[in-house]
Amino acid sequence: MSKYLHIFRYGFFAFVIVYLIVSINYFTQINVGAGDEALFIYDLNYISKYGWQAAIEKGISIPYMLISYLFSLFFEEYIALRVVNIFLFIGLIFYFFKIKKLRNLDFYALLLFYFATAGYFFKGINDPLFVIALVIFFTETYFILKTKEKQNIAVLFTALIFVVFTRALFVVFLPAILFSIYLIRKQIKLSFKKMIPAIFFLMLFSIINIPSIAKNNTLSYDAKDPPPNAISNWAQRQYLAQLQVNNGERDNFTHPSWKETDQYLIVNGEDSLPKGILSGLTFNIDLTIKEFFKDLGYIIVYSSRQLGLILPILFYFGFLLFMKQKKITSTSYACSIITIMTTIFALIIISYIELRWFGSFFLLAILAFSELIQKKQLHNFITVAHYLIMIAICCYGIVQKVI
């Protein structure tokens, strides 16, 4: 088996290149303003028309808008947004190659495979900035545990500041973030000098957020607000969507209109749907438990489209290492982050799961898995099976995008 290993390996690399070319051609033809992209195009136009203060008071993703606005001076809004995200991904490659000095071909092949599969890097949305900042934070923690050295503390906490100010979704990641900081504090001592860049960006973004804090008592984030005359909110709309899906009244991955959600509340009472995510967890315990296991199954099955066999293999070796060493290593840390965040998302999301939320810890999984391959810690049979599965997924993706 070992003598054929390189054949499968370079075969996978070749398929990734073809798949990447096909995906770039496919995703660059996405309709302008599809999905959440329309919101960010609107925000750029709002800044140009009403100014930054009004836009911040309304609610925008400040770090993403600051970067995108510079590009919008030279390109159309949607092009500027998409170009920013492509450059962010190129910057991520630079980070791994130049700063972390990774020379692992398997890692870069899997990174490009994920880029070609996920697709959201080609859209004008702020997910790429959020994901990249968060994966840098997780990666620096990973290498601190691996090398027992400080690594790039300035980069680590600066990335965390961008995470906090880019999307309100950071709140969902707080358990994983706090767990990471706890492990860092156990491993090394933090110095004020190393924290200066992060403190600078913290102060900068805090000052820029003053209009939003003064008017709304909160930081400024992109907001998909309901229509002005709606009486329902997003949590209620999503909860109703899942109720209708379960009753066979609606196709999965779709939502009722705002008018339909409002009508449901009028007919059934204002307390017939939960008003927020947390209240939704206890609104119907049986439904929460049912959706938890259904979402968990969905994540496990559909993550294979972006990761192949990486998650089950990584979990197996992470568990073995933890049982053997009785402490959190870099590999078991990656498994812990994946477990924490997968469990949280499966629990709090009553409606359907979007795998783009998982980008940061999926990329962390790719890093940890590729190091297992590089260190030859996997049996040749497992490695070959991994390459074959990934080649099959590449073939499927190529056919799907071409046809």
Side-chain angles (χ1 to χ4, degrees), residues 232-305:
S232 55
N233 60 34
W234 269 103
Q236 292 170 323
R237 189 183 181 196
Q238 291 171 330
Y239 202 93
L240 177 60
Q242 195 57 53
L243 292 178
Q244 292 177 335
V245 168
N246 292 347
N247 292 332
E249 302 169 3
R250 172 171 299 280
D251 293 334
N252 206 4
F253 307 110
T254 63
H255 286 110
S257 65
W258 289 109
K259 183 178 180 181
E260 187 179 351
T261 309
D262 288 350
Q263 187 62 33
Y264 184 92
L265 290 174
I266 292 170
V267 172
N268 297 281
E270 63 178 17
D271 294 325
S272 59
L273 294 171
K275 294 181 174 63
I277 292 177
L278 293 180
S279 61
L281 294 178
T282 56
F283 189 78
N284 183 331
I285 299 297
D286 290 341
L287 179 63
T288 299
I289 294 172
K290 176 184 176 181
E291 292 302 321
F292 170 76
F293 286 105
K294 188 169 77 173
D295 288 345
L296 203 58
Y298 174 87
I299 294 166
I300 293 170
V301 172
Y302 284 92
S303 65
S304 62
R305 177 67 181 84

Side-chain angles (χ1 to χ4, degrees), residues 114-180:
Y114 179 82
F115 175 70
T117 303
Y120 59 83
F121 286 95
F122 297 93
K123 299 178 182 178
I125 56 180
N126 65 347
D127 290 83
L129 178 58
F130 183 81
V131 166
I132 288 173
L134 196 50
V135 78
I136 289 174
F137 173 80
F138 287 146
T139 298
E140 290 297 335
T141 306
Y142 174 91
F143 278 101
I144 287 172
L145 295 173
K146 178 184 175 183
T147 63
K148 298 179 174 59
E149 296 176 359
K150 290 187 177 181
Q151 295 293 319
N152 296 294
I153 292 297
V155 172
L156 183 152
F157 282 103
T158 300
L160 181 58
I161 296 301
F162 273 83
V163 169
V164 171
F165 285 96
T166 297
R167 288 197 67 182
L169 185 65
F170 88 90
V171 174
V172 179
F173 285 85
L174 272 179
I177 291 170
L178 294 175
F179 176 66
S180 300

Side-chain angles (χ1 to χ4, degrees), residues 313-330:
I313 294 172
L314 189 61
F315 273 119
Y316 174 73
F317 277 89
F319 177 76
L320 287 183
L321 283 172
F322 179 76
M323 294 303 295
K324 181 179 179 180
Q325 301 183 14
K326 304 298 182 183
K327 64 178 182 178
I328 298 291
T329 63
S330 56

Side-chain angles (χ1 to χ4, degrees), residues 76-93:
E76 284 188 65
E77 286 80 3
Y78 83 95
I79 295 177
L81 292 166
R82 296 181 183 186
V83 168
V84 165
N85 290 342
I86 297 298
F87 274 115
L88 284 172
F89 182 76
I90 294 172
L92 182 64
I93 294 176

Side-chain angles (χ1 to χ4, degrees), residues 53 56-57 59-63 164-166 201-221:
Q53 180 173 334
I56 292 169
E57 289 177 350
I60 58 173
S61 175
I62 290 176
V164 171
F165 285 96
T166 297
F201 280 105
L202 174 62
M203 294 175 63
L204 174 65
F205 289 139
S206 296
I207 292 170
I208 296 174
N209 267 278
I210 287 176
S212 178
I213 296 171
K215 182 177 181 180
N216 309 311
N217 297 315
T218 184
L219 297 176
S220 176
Y221 295 111

Side-chain angles (χ1 to χ4, degrees), residues 3 191 274 374 376:
K3 63 181 180 180
S191 65
Q374 187 179 43
K376 298 181 179 180

Side-chain angles (χ1 to χ4, degrees), residues 21 36 64 81 180 187 198 206 293 332 345:
I21 294 170
D36 290 346
Y64 186 56
L81 292 166
S180 300
Q187 196 71 49
S206 296
F293 286 105
S332 55
F345 274 111

